[in-house]
Amino acid sequence: MGIYFNPSNTLLQQDLRSRIYIDKSLLIQETNELLGTNQKFLCVSRPRRFGKSMASNMLTAYYSKGCDSKELFSKLNIAQVENWQQNLNAFNVIQMDLNGFFHSLKNPDHLISEMEKAIITEIQEAFPQIELDEKDSLANTILRVYNKTGQTFILIFDEYDVLVREKVKSSLFESYLDFLSSLFKNNNLKVAISLAYLTGILPIVRDKIQSKLNEFDEYSMTNPRRLAQFAGFTEKEVSSLCQHHKLDFEECKRWYDGYKLGKEDHIYSPKSVVTAIKDGGFDDYWTQTGSYEALKDYILMNFEGIKDDVITMIGGGKIDVNIYSYLNTMTDFHSKDDVFTYLIHLGYLAYDRAIKQCYIPNVEVRSQWILSIKNAPDYTKIMELVNDSKNLLQRTLEGDAEYVAQSLTLAHQRATNPLTYNNEASFQSAIGLAYFYATAQYTIIKELPTGKGYADVAFIPFVPNLPAIIIELKNNKTAQGALNQIKTRSYDDALFHYRGNLLFVGINYHEGTKQHQCVIEKLEI
């Protein structure tokens, strides 16, 4: 066994000993199906702390000839799959954490030569009967071993995109491209590689690197393909964890749910869920692993329409995004679409592939967006709305219809531009901003199905002694008419599971005067 060549299963053992471990071993079933096929090249990109390294360690422990992992995997889900042992510890595995190796070097310019030397030295120790040269390329070494023994290799490179993220100088980057090309664009070498599994935060860069890695199928936050369930924690997994550790599942969902990947409608941040269980409470755990400046620098870019879309998303809305223009780099941003696509890959936005829209996924991430615009001059008036939102909620609960009308008039003007002012979705986002504080006590649902239509906005409390709130919006009509619609269409029937007092809020705004009227009615049960 070696460090880089045919490693042990020690890292998997460490993961299994952890207090909280989610079994993602069925990923092996997916990779087994790709062994030795034209689809054997995978590039899997995920945000930081979404389990990329754990998956790499698991695959290494399963395939590596440097260990005996039968006992470990016999207790995991993969053991329920027929012929699960067929490929167990059957391959020469090269595992490399490129991020760790890069930052361990005194001179990063020597990355490629030092990396090849370290791996080849271990291969030579494993095959003393084969004459190898540590100064040779890794590609030639793999090919020589294959020709002499017929044994194939599996390459697992974690954080393959570290040089993109570190924005290294062009000479180092070019040598890195040559290194990748020698491994993955070499027709002679393809027969010697049974599987290549790359992980990173960003998908494959679409200018220089793409031509070097165009053999790879990408599994990303915008298109996870068959690997969606392995991208984070699923709702079933989180529900089970919360039940076992006596953590409020609904609150956990509110804080950390929101990523929609493929057929998985609910994907959670693993780091956040695990830390919440350890701490016994909820906080901004995943976002604390990085600086909010990483978000701030990009959403404050001066691209047309970006401010309006940021306001819409902070208010709980979704916006259209074209994910195909982004080149997957850290420097080439040409539009707001590029910025938002980048933030999807980083986890600061979620993406609904079915409707091609992005949005802020949950309470934890939304707090980072607020922090990012807090002191930005362009967002001063928006922050005034956010800061007043606690007072607005209290005045609403007190039934102060005049104050609510004035506040929503202001919010509607500040959070929308003249072109979208009369758009109902834009007004709903303005309401989301105006009631920002309410997310600390309510789950806010837009377009709540009721059986007789849709309630425009519903506030469902998750703390005791607060009434549920149903808001109906009208324009160029009357606030009383909006209130009557709530009652005549029995919108409150949608809250039949809720047992508590209700607050009906009818709001009307006039397109010409831009003034709002409000009527509030309490229903005590």
Side-chain angles (χ1 to χ4, degrees), residues 94 112 115-117 119-120 123 132-147 151 153 155 157 177-193:
I94 296 173
I112 306 305
M115 182 166 57
E116 290 191 309
K117 178 181 177 181
I119 297 171
I120 293 171
I123 295 177
L132 301 175
D133 185 350
E134 67 178 26
K135 296 181 180 179
D136 201 356
S137 69
L138 179 59
N140 286 339
T141 300
I142 292 173
L143 189 58
R144 184 179 294 273
V145 172
Y146 171 74
N147 288 336
Q151 297 180 29
F153 287 67
L155 276 56
F157 289 174
L177 295 183
D178 292 338
F179 169 72
L180 296 176
S181 183
S182 70
L183 291 172
F184 305 121
K185 290 291 287 184
N186 187 337
N187 282 329
N188 294 326
L189 193 60
K190 285 183 180 179
V191 293
I193 297 178

Side-chain angles (χ1 to χ4, degrees), residues 28-306:
I28 296 167
Q29 182 181 20
E30 299 291 338
T31 55
N32 276 343
E33 292 179 3
L34 302 178
L35 288 172
T37 70
N38 289 333
Q39 291 75 46
K40 62 186 176 183
F41 298 99
L42 294 76
C43 180
V44 180
S45 57
R46 299 284 182 268
R48 68 184 191 280
R49 307 306 297 272
F50 262 65
K52 297 187 297 296
S53 296
M54 290 185 71
S56 298
N57 295 337
M58 179 185 67
L59 293 175
T60 297
Y62 178 81
Y63 289 117
S64 172
K65 285 185 175 183
C67 53
D68 180 358
S69 301
K70 181 178 179 180
E71 183 179 354
L72 296 179
F73 285 100
S74 66
K75 302 173 184 178
L76 300 180
N77 292 335
I78 187 62
Q80 307 304 314
V81 177
E82 187 177 2
N83 299 325
W84 71 276
Q85 298 184 58
Q86 181 175 347
N87 300 305
L88 181 64
N89 303 129
F91 289 88
N92 294 311
V93 172
I94 296 173
Q95 184 190 29
M96 175 61 68
D97 173 9
L98 283 161
N99 182 62
F101 196 88
F102 174 79
H103 286 101
S104 70
L105 296 175
K106 293 182 178 179
N107 187 346
D109 289 346
H110 298 159
L111 171 67
I112 306 305
S113 60
E114 291 294 328
M115 182 166 57
E116 290 191 309
K117 178 181 177 181
I119 297 171
I120 293 171
T121 297
E122 292 188 5
I123 295 177
Q124 178 70 85
E125 293 172 354
F127 296 96
Q129 74 278 19
I130 303 175
E131 185 177 347
L132 301 175
D133 185 350
E134 67 178 26
K135 296 181 180 179
D136 201 356
S137 69
L138 179 59
N140 286 339
T141 300
I142 292 173
L143 189 58
R144 184 179 294 273
V145 172
Y146 171 74
N147 288 336
K148 292 291 185 179
T149 67
Q151 297 180 29
T152 61
F153 287 67
I154 288 177
L155 276 56
I156 300 175
F157 289 174
D158 201 10
E159 305 284 2
Y160 89 97
D161 59 338
V162 61
L163 298 193
V164 179
R165 303 199 312 265
E166 293 291 334
K167 304 176 186 176
V168 299
K169 60 185 182 181
S170 59
S171 59
L172 175 56
F173 193 64
E174 291 297 331
S175 66
Y176 182 57
L177 295 183
D178 292 338
F179 169 72
L180 296 176
S181 183
S182 70
L183 291 172
F184 305 121
K185 290 291 287 184
N186 187 337
N187 282 329
N188 294 326
L189 193 60
K190 285 183 180 179
V191 293
I193 297 178
S194 288
L195 183 76
Y197 185 91
L198 309 186
T199 78
I201 292 176
L202 296 175
I204 295 170
V205 176
R206 290 174 50 203
D207 50 10
K208 294 180 180 180
I209 290 186
Q210 187 176 45
S211 62
K212 311 297 183 182
L213 299 180
N214 59 9
E215 298 285 347
F216 280 77
D217 289 323
E218 294 188 65
Y219 301 80
S220 69
M221 295 298 282
T222 57
N223 188 8
R225 304 178 188 242
R226 293 167 57 91
L227 303 187
Q229 64 178 304
F230 308 112
F233 288 175
T234 65
E235 183 151 85
K236 182 178 179 180
E237 291 165 345
V238 174
S239 176
S240 178
L241 282 173
C242 288
Q243 183 176 2
H244 179 74
H245 294 279
K246 295 181 173 55
L247 194 70
D248 187 331
F249 170 64
E250 291 300 324
E251 185 72 348
C252 188
K253 183 174 183 177
R254 190 177 71 87
W255 271 86
Y256 309 126
D257 185 17
Y259 298 98
K260 180 179 174 65
L261 298 178
K263 295 181 180 179
E264 296 291 339
D265 288 335
H266 303 277
I267 291 290
Y268 294 66
S269 160
K271 166 66 177 177
S272 300
V273 174
V274 168
T275 310
I277 291 172
K278 289 179 179 177
D279 287 4
F282 305 98
D283 206 339
D284 301 338
Y285 297 121
W286 173 75
T287 53
Q288 289 176 10
T289 64
S291 170
Y292 78 93
E293 297 288 343
L295 172 62
K296 178 180 178 180
D297 290 345
Y298 293 97
I299 65 176
L300 297 184
M301 284 185 169
N302 188 28
F303 290 121
E304 182 178 0
I306 194 170

